[in-house]
């Protein structure tokens, strides 16, 4: 409706204006300048962490071959935990202890092994001989938790050749993960929107990069294309949910702060390692968005300290809307969540179609018993 659009535009302009005015005032504070400098330095040197949109928990017998994967080709995984246990029975399946492994260990923490094989990949394989063999008190199962985020995955590393017994996993040099550097022109475009009073506090490395880049405010639009027939996508979602070794599944809730709220908290700059000039307004990753859910009673979850549960989120419909700079992520056809409310993270890539179908399946109860917070 025209009146609604007009109101949204005026509200967005007002929010933007208030943020700019606040920024010009607070950056004059000595304490704030010190905090900004520390934050910027930290963002240039701290280790990069993913912001996942999906979590999965696998539970399987060690004597079985497993395929661990994130949905879609433009997804990569982060290994959260990988723990062995000594339960010999998994539902109706009896687990075996004959693994053919040269790794001799009774340690239940297997994160080093799984990180080497799976971290940063879209899909990886775990076979019986990968796992630790504990002679006196055999290990039978693994509970593996991964997080999936949008991004360029690395290839699965080759399996090592370890002919002799050893006290560590058979890994021959950790395969490095690589991060694609952004186009300097795009980065400069983001920085062009910063007031001069704020830009002077950027780290020297960022200043040099920005000075060398052509100044532009253009930004490539996000275009989501249907890359696969709908029936193919639905079949993939069904296969994922029905995987007997997938014990738990969840999509990640996200809260959207206003720029003013971020500034008041002293959160001005984003992650320099991820080439983000301003602090992100949501907890979603760089290639992900926080999307709006419409609940049957028209309510919204607004307490930033109390995220809704998976069961509560599953009651909401993804809100579709005509593309608009103020209400949606460009090209997705989905409405972004409002400031001060909870939504869900989804990838802003070609995998969005699959993620939406997965959400619909979860909402309709097809993943009953697997939903977790």
């Amino acid at each position: 409706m025209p009146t609604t659009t007009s109101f949204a535009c005026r509200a967005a302009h007002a929010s933007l204006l208030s943020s700019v005015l606040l920024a010009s005032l607070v950056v004059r504070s000595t304490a704030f300048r010190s905090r900004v400098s520390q934050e910027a330095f930290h963002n240039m040197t701290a280790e990069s962490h993913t912001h996942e949109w999906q979590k999965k928990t696998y539970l399987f017998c060690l004597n079985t071959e497993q395929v661990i994967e994130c949905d879609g080709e433009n997804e990569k995984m982060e290994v959260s935990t990988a723990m062995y246990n000594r339960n010999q029975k998994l539902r109706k399946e009896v687990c075996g202890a004959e693994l053919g492994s040269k790794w001799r260990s009774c340690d239940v923490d297997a994160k080093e092994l799984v990180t080497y094989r799976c971290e940063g990949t879209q899909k990886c394989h775990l076979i019986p001989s990968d796992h630790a063999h504990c002679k006196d008190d055999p290990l039978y199962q693994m509970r593996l938790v991964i997080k999936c985020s949008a991004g360029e995955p690395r290839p699965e590393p080759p399996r090592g050749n370890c002919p002799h017994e050893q006290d560590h996993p058979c890994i021959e040099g950790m395969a490095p993960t690589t991060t694609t550097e952004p186009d300097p022109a795009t980065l400069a475009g983001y920085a062009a929107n910063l007031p001069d009073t704020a830009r002077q506090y950027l780290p020297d490395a960022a200043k040099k990069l920005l000075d060398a880049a052509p100044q532009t405010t253009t930004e490539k639009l996000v275009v989501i294309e249907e890359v696969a027939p709908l029936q193919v996508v639905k079949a993939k979602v069904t296969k994922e949910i029905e995987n007997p070794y997938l014990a738990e599944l969840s999509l990640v809730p996200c809260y959207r702060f206003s720029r003013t709220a971020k500034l008041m908290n002293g959160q001005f700059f984003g992650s320099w390692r991820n080439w983000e000039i301003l602090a992100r307004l949501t907890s979603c990753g760089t290639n992900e968005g926080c999307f709006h859910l419409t609940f049957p009673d028209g309510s919204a979850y607004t307490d930033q300290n109390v995220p809704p549960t998976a069961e509560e989120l599953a009651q909401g419909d993804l809100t579709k809307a005509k593309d608009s700079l103020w209400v949606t992520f460009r090209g997705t056809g989905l409405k972004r969540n409002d400031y001060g409310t909870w939504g869900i993270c989804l990838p802003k890539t070609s995998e969005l179609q699959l993620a939406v179908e997965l959400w619909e399946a979860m909402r309709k109860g097809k993943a009953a018993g697997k939903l977790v917070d």
Side-chain angles (χ1 to χ4, degrees):
M1 293 174 55
T3 53
T4 303
T5 303
S6 175
F7 174 79
C9 290
R10 287 198 300 271
H13 277 301
S15 176
L16 180 61
L17 179 60
S18 63
S19 297
V20 172
L21 290 175
L22 180 60
S24 65
L25 291 175
V26 296
V27 295
R28 297 178 183 179
S29 163
T30 301
F32 181 83
R33 289 199 299 268
S34 175
R35 183 170 181 176
V36 164
S37 296
Q38 293 174 359
E39 180 185 352
F41 177 77
H42 171 75
N43 286 334
M44 284 293 286
T45 58
E47 288 289 89
S48 177
H49 296 282
T50 61
H51 297 274
E52 74 281 357
W53 67 271
Q54 185 183 35
K55 294 181 181 179
K56 296 182 180 183
T57 300
Y58 291 88
L59 184 61
F60 54 88
C61 294
L62 301 183
N63 63 325
T64 61
E65 295 187 8
Q66 294 294 321
V67 177
I68 311 300
E69 64 181 323
C70 289
D71 304 317
E73 296 181 356
N74 296 314
E75 299 288 319
K76 58 183 180 179
M77 73 180 77
E78 176 185 343
V79 178
S80 181
T81 60
M83 303 296 291
Y84 292 132
N85 66 60
R86 293 180 167 85
N87 298 325
Q88 297 185 37
K89 194 171 183 179
L90 179 61
R91 293 179 289 276
K92 296 181 180 181
E93 183 177 1
V94 178
C95 303
E98 295 300 323
L99 307 177
S101 173
K102 300 297 183 181
W103 176 20
R104 298 294 184 257
S105 173
C106 293
D107 190 351
V108 297
D109 190 345
K111 187 174 181 180
E112 180 184 7
L113 162 70
V114 183
T115 296
Y116 169 74
R117 295 230 50 85
C118 301
E119 183 90 12
T121 68
Q122 182 267 326
K123 178 190 295 186
C124 65
H125 300 76
L126 295 175
I127 62 177
S129 60
D130 288 333
H131 301 292
H133 173 69
C134 182
K135 181 179 179 181
D136 297 327
D137 194 4
L139 303 163
Y140 290 96
Q141 295 181 22
M142 173 179 282
R143 183 180 181 85
L144 170 61
V145 181
I146 66 168
K147 302 175 182 179
C148 297
S149 60
E152 186 69 25
R154 69 176 175 97
E156 183 177 2
R159 193 158 266 105
N161 179 23
C162 302
H164 306 293
E165 293 185 0
Q166 55 190 36
D167 61 359
H168 56 82
C170 183
I171 53 179
E172 296 182 345
M174 180 66 73
T177 57
T178 58
T179 302
T180 303
E181 293 191 358
D183 178 11
T186 301
L187 185 59
Y190 296 143
N193 297 317
L194 286 175
D196 291 338
T197 49
R199 291 186 64 183
Q200 63 180 308
Y201 299 109
L202 296 179
D204 290 339
K207 288 180 182 178
K208 291 179 181 179
L209 178 60
L210 298 179
D211 290 342
Q215 296 299 310
T216 175
T217 58
T218 61
E219 182 178 329
K220 185 177 180 180
L221 298 182
V222 176
V223 178
I224 306 300
E225 299 177 350
E226 300 220 357
V227 296
L230 186 58
Q231 59 268 30
V232 174
V233 175
K234 287 186 175 181
K236 187 171 184 178
V237 168
T238 300
K239 181 179 179 181
E240 167 84 345
I241 291 176
E242 293 180 352
N243 181 354
Y245 298 110
L246 182 65
E248 297 174 349
L249 179 67
S250 67
L251 298 188
V252 178
C254 49
Y255 185 86
R256 184 179 297 276
F257 291 89
S258 67
R259 181 62 63 194
T260 302
K262 283 285 187 177
L263 290 171
M264 291 297 292
N265 290 333
Q267 296 172 294
F268 195 89
F269 294 113
S271 170
W272 296 105
R273 290 183 64 88
N274 291 326
W275 304 99
E276 295 172 341
I277 295 296
L278 295 175
R280 296 186 63 80
L281 301 182
T282 74
S283 58
C284 300
T286 304
N287 298 309
E288 299 156 11
C290 190
F291 291 94
H292 187 277
L293 294 173
T294 299
F295 294 94
D297 58 358
S299 62
Y301 293 91
T302 58
D303 189 338
Q304 70 181 66
N305 298 314
V306 184
T309 66
E311 294 292 343
E312 290 171 335
L313 282 175
Q315 302 305 311
D317 284 318
L318 281 166
T319 308
K320 296 183 179 180
K322 183 178 179 181
D323 272 354
S324 164
L325 179 62
W326 306 109
V327 299
T328 64
F329 287 103
R330 294 176 293 281
T332 66
L334 294 177
K335 182 179 180 181
R336 73 181 185 184
N337 67 318
D338 300 320
Y339 295 116
T341 66
W342 286 91
I344 57 168
C345 290
L346 294 176
K348 293 190 294 181
T349 66
S350 57
E351 317 306 338
L352 178 63
Q353 181 187 15
L354 190 147
V356 170
E357 288 302 319
L358 177 60
W359 173 258
E360 287 300 313
M362 294 169 65
R363 191 180 65 82
K364 294 176 182 178
K366 295 182 179 179
K370 294 188 176 183
L371 289 182
V372 293
D373 299 332

